[in-house]
């Protein structure tokens, strides 16, 4: 492997672009979605998934947007954390241990020219 500096990270709403959950989802739909997503369900017992999902419902902060439910936001943040943020957080130390300079970021800025306050996948590229 080449020992070049690496810049990688995740965006706050990375999961929004990939989640297959209605923006008006309710808690039942969110729990059903969580149980059916293969990279959740394959690793954790169902009771753990339910508890984790309920914790996101209690703690996830999000913009107040008409026709976007709190349950959607919790699912979107959970999906983004598992699919993107956890991977970034796990890989960075391994790369550092192998002698690479790693610069990690967590991007929070919603583009002011955008029509939604999501910080989607690849949103940081324009900056």
């Amino acid at each position: 492997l080449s020992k070049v500096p690496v810049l990688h990270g995740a965006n706050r709403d990375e999961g929004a672009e990939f989640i297959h959950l209605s923006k008006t989802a309710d808690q039942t739909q969110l729990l059903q979605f969580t149980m059916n997503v293969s990279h959740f369900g394959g690793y954790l017992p169902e009771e753990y998934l339910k508890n984790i999902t309920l914790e996101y419902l209690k703690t996830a902060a999000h913009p107040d947007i008409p026709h976007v439910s709190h349950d959607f936001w919790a699912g979107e943040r959970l999906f983004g954390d598992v699919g993107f943020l956890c991977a970034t957080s796990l890989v960075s130390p391994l790369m550092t241990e192998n002698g690479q300079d790693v610069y990690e970021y967590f991007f929070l800025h919603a583009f002011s020219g955008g029509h939604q306050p999501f910080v989607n996948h690849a949103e940081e590229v324009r900056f």
Side-chain angles (χ1 to χ4, degrees), residues 59-119:
T59 61
H62 53 78
D64 185 23
I65 303 172
H67 311 295
V68 179
S69 71
H70 178 66
D71 300 282
F72 168 81
W73 280 112
E76 180 274 323
R77 297 282 165 83
L78 175 59
F79 189 80
D81 286 356
V82 170
F84 295 93
L85 185 59
C86 287
T88 298
S89 298
L90 291 170
V91 169
S92 290
L94 296 174
M95 294 175 83
T96 301
E97 285 175 19
N98 285 306
Q100 290 187 258
D101 292 327
V102 177
Y103 303 91
E104 189 177 303
Y105 64 87
F106 186 62
F107 196 73
L108 300 169
H109 178 71
F111 177 55
S112 59
H115 56 284
Q116 294 198 10
F118 295 105
V119 185

Side-chain angles (χ1 to χ4, degrees), residues 8 21 55 84 93:
H8 72 131
L21 182 66
E55 190 63 30
F84 295 93

Side-chain angles (χ1 to χ4, degrees), residues 26-48:
D26 60 23
Q27 186 172 335
T28 301
Q29 292 167 316
L30 171 60
L31 289 168
Q32 182 180 17
F33 166 78
T34 304
M35 299 303 162
N36 291 326
V37 173
S38 62
H39 65 266
F40 294 161
Y43 302 106
L44 296 171
E46 189 172 311
E47 191 61 30
Y48 286 17

